[in-house]
Amino acid sequence: MDSQYETKKNDPNAIMPYGESSGDEHVGEVRGLGGDIMHKEVEAQQGADKFHRLGWKRLTIVLIVEAIALGSLSLPGAFATLGMVPGVLLSVGMGLICIYTADVIGQTKLKHPEIAHYADAGRIMFGRWGYEIISFMFVVQLIFIVGSHVLTGTIMWGTITDNGNGTCSLVFGVVSAIILFLLAIPPSFSEAAILGYIDFVSICAAILITMIGTGIRSSSQEGGLAAVAWSCWPKENLGLAEAFIGVSNIVFAYSFAMCQFSFMDEMHTPSDYRKSIVALGLIEIVIYTVTGGVVYAFVGPEVKSPALLSAGPTLAKVAFGIALPVIFISGSINTTVVSRYLIERIWPNSVIRYVNTPKGWVVWLGLDAGITLIAWVIAEAIPFFSDLLAICSALFISGFSFYFPACMYFKITRSDAKSRNQKYFLDAVNLVCFIIGILILGIGTYAAIKDIMDRYDRGQVSKPYSCAPVV
């Protein structure tokens, strides 16, 4: 038996390992003859095998699915606010920092194989209260992200169909929620990785169409590309709140750390994680920096968000159509992560968590449906949902991506430094990561709340469950 599972077996606080049971209990509810026990053990072993088929290449794809979505097309707007030079520096710098914090998370997982989800790391760092608080943050943030994909799908259907010739936008929301539910049915991340290839091609094609479309439109205007009024520096009279919303768009684009523990728990060779996070980080840096810089240079300060809306009505429809897979595949994997966390927390010692029995499938489909329904209700019921998502991201992603990994370093992995100089250097790096997280927590929350207040003052807050087109 792998040492990872032996560690879980010996830890009384850990979620029980795959194919094992605690004390004298057998996996699942066992009554009857020894043959029933044997059958349950076989099911448990098959389940364990099913959830340990993820290699580093598929992990990279799963991370891409979780990390890179249409949010990447909001970066030209961030560049327009911050300017080309600060935008490029922030995009590259945040990418490198997030690669490092993801490495800290990976090291923590290797030292504590019993960690199956981010909340388990909270227990190790801060005890039971840490576990419960981070559990709440984890579940709420992921459900809100699913809700954001419901809204993005609604906008996409409305753009493609010219708002359906008067069709109520709630219909588009329901259709989007159903697709998200169906794509979340496969319970293992190795299965989700198969769709990930389609997802990656989809977002790359949508970005390419956006860059070509905006480039052609700019070239055909009077003065050509030379007439585009892009700037190297932040726009004039830029306030703190507006500036930090631009910063936040870049920061949140790199927020893949939240699900890393969940994905790594399925790896057959967890020590290979570093290949995946470096590959993902470099891919993100290239995509985000090139997309933000090129589209901003083509469109200038009038760039829309998402940027594909700046490519013109026809190309926007084409780009949205091609981006359809990424909208729903990237959204559905968040449902899968939440469902996996809940099923393993509620049934830690039952074969149900392997989703390879009729009862397991009923529970799994029920969780997927419930999470998707909650996400749809929240997204449609809260008039300022997008801003509320920004508040939650400032409150929660600042921790998942920055100050929690810094805490992991100081409490768990600091002793692994090979020399005193390396330890002091890493101390400084992690102190910077912690400070960045606290700044995002404080200023980001302030900026998001101020934006909500400004939208109310301008009368731009929609009504709940409105049939009006979502913009």
Side-chain angles (χ1 to χ4, degrees):
M1 178 69 69
D2 191 303
S3 61
Q4 172 177 351
Y5 311 132
E6 289 300 318
T7 302
K8 288 188 177 183
K9 182 176 180 180
N10 295 329
D11 185 349
N13 295 320
I15 292 175
M16 288 308 296
Y18 314 96
E20 294 289 340
S21 58
S22 60
D24 297 325
E25 295 178 357
H26 291 284
V27 175
E29 184 179 1
V30 180
R31 291 189 177 93
L33 302 177
D36 294 328
I37 297 175
M38 180 69 71
H39 179 65
K40 293 292 184 181
E41 290 179 345
V42 170
E43 288 180 340
Q45 186 57 52
Q46 290 173 344
D49 294 341
K50 177 181 179 179
F51 288 105
H52 286 89
R53 298 183 302 184
L54 201 64
W56 76 267
K57 294 178 182 178
R58 283 197 175 187
L59 174 61
T60 305
I61 295 298
V62 172
L63 286 168
I64 287 173
V65 170
E66 191 257 337
I68 304 178
L70 282 187
S72 59
L73 288 169
S74 69
L75 295 187
F79 277 51
T81 299
L82 302 171
M84 186 70 77
V85 172
V88 170
L89 291 176
L90 269 171
S91 180
V92 176
M94 284 298 173
L96 294 175
I97 290 172
C98 286
I99 290 175
Y100 172 72
T101 56
D103 186 45
V104 173
I105 290 172
Q107 293 175 42
T108 301
K109 170 65 176 175
L110 295 184
K111 291 195 74 169
H112 291 274
E114 70 272 17
I115 297 175
H117 300 280
Y118 215 118
D120 299 323
R123 187 201 300 275
I124 292 172
M125 291 188 292
F126 310 118
R128 178 61 185 266
W129 281 105
Y131 175 77
E132 297 298 345
I133 291 171
I134 294 179
S135 292
F136 173 80
M137 295 168 61
F138 184 71
V139 172
V140 169
Q141 181 66 24
L142 287 173
I143 291 177
F144 270 52
I145 291 173
V146 176
S148 75
H149 282 266
V150 172
L151 283 188
T152 303
T154 302
I155 295 170
M156 182 271 297
W157 293 121
T159 301
I160 291 176
T161 64
D162 291 323
N163 294 316
N165 295 318
T167 301
C168 178
S169 64
L170 286 174
V171 174
F172 296 141
V174 171
V175 171
S176 298
I178 292 172
I179 295 173
L180 286 165
F181 162 72
L182 293 175
L183 290 174
I185 289 176
S188 77
F189 300 125
S190 60
E191 293 166 334
I194 297 173
L195 294 173
Y197 296 100
I198 301 172
D199 178 281
F200 185 56
V201 171
S202 169
I203 188 61
C204 288
I207 289 172
L208 188 61
I209 288 173
T210 301
M211 288 195 291
I212 293 173
T214 53
I216 292 174
R217 281 171 65 89
S218 297
S219 299
S220 61
Q221 69 182 2
E222 185 177 353
L225 292 174
V228 179
W230 64 272
S231 171
C232 288
W233 309 109
K235 66 181 187 180
E236 296 181 0
N237 302 317
L238 182 63
L240 176 62
E242 185 181 3
F244 213 81
I245 287 173
V247 172
S248 298
N249 284 335
I250 296 175
V251 171
F252 299 153
Y254 288 101
S255 59
F256 59 86
M258 181 168 52
C259 298
Q260 186 178 332
F261 282 121
S262 305
F263 297 153
M264 285 185 64
D265 201 54
E266 266 200 29
M267 293 186 74
H268 54 69
T269 311
S271 57
D272 285 343
Y273 79 91
R274 189 171 281 120
K275 301 174 186 176
S276 299
I277 62 170
V278 170
L280 171 67
L282 294 178
I283 290 170
E284 282 190 307
I285 289 172
V286 171
I287 289 178
Y288 294 160
T289 306
V290 171
T291 302
V294 170
V295 175
Y296 173 48
F298 285 164
V299 180
E302 295 80 21
V303 64
K304 297 178 181 180
S305 185
L308 53 81
L309 295 174
S310 298
T314 302
L315 274 181
K317 293 179 181 180
V318 174
F320 260 128
I322 290 176
L324 189 151
V326 73
I327 293 171
F328 296 115
I329 295 172
S330 288
S332 66
I333 200 166
N334 296 286
T335 307
T336 303
V337 174
V338 178
S339 297
R340 285 285 301 279
Y341 168 70
L342 292 176
I343 201 171
E344 290 174 4
R345 175 168 181 166
I346 299 170
W347 292 276
N349 302 324
S350 171
V351 74
I352 287 174
R353 74 187 190 275
Y354 295 128
V355 198
N356 62 344
T357 63
K359 187 175 181 180
W361 275 109
V362 169
V363 170
W364 177 257
L365 293 175
L367 284 172
D368 278 357
I371 290 165
T372 306
L373 178 62
I374 292 170
W376 178 82
V377 169
I378 291 173
E380 295 287 355
I382 300 176
F384 50 90
F385 174 78
S386 296
D387 296 289
L388 185 60
L389 177 63
I391 293 174
C392 289
S393 296
L395 290 172
F396 301 156
I397 289 178
S398 57
F400 291 128
S401 295
F402 297 99
Y403 60 78
F404 284 152
C407 292
M408 291 177 204
Y409 165 78
F410 285 112
K411 294 181 71 72
I412 299 173
T413 67
R414 186 171 183 261
S415 60
D416 295 338
K418 297 179 180 179
S419 67
R420 180 176 298 179
N421 289 337
Q422 184 187 44
K423 181 177 291 186
Y424 291 157
F425 172 74
L426 293 178
D427 287 350
V429 169
N430 283 276
L431 181 60
V432 169
C433 292
F434 185 85
I435 293 172
I436 289 173
I438 296 301
L439 288 174
I440 295 169
L441 172 64
I443 304 176
T445 303
Y446 158 76
I449 292 174
K450 187 176 187 303
D451 189 57
I452 292 176
M453 296 171 64
D454 291 343
R455 289 184 62 190
Y456 264 108
D457 291 341
R458 295 192 298 265
Q460 295 178 336
V461 176
S462 62
K463 296 180 180 180
Y465 299 110
S466 172
C467 278
V470 178
V471 295

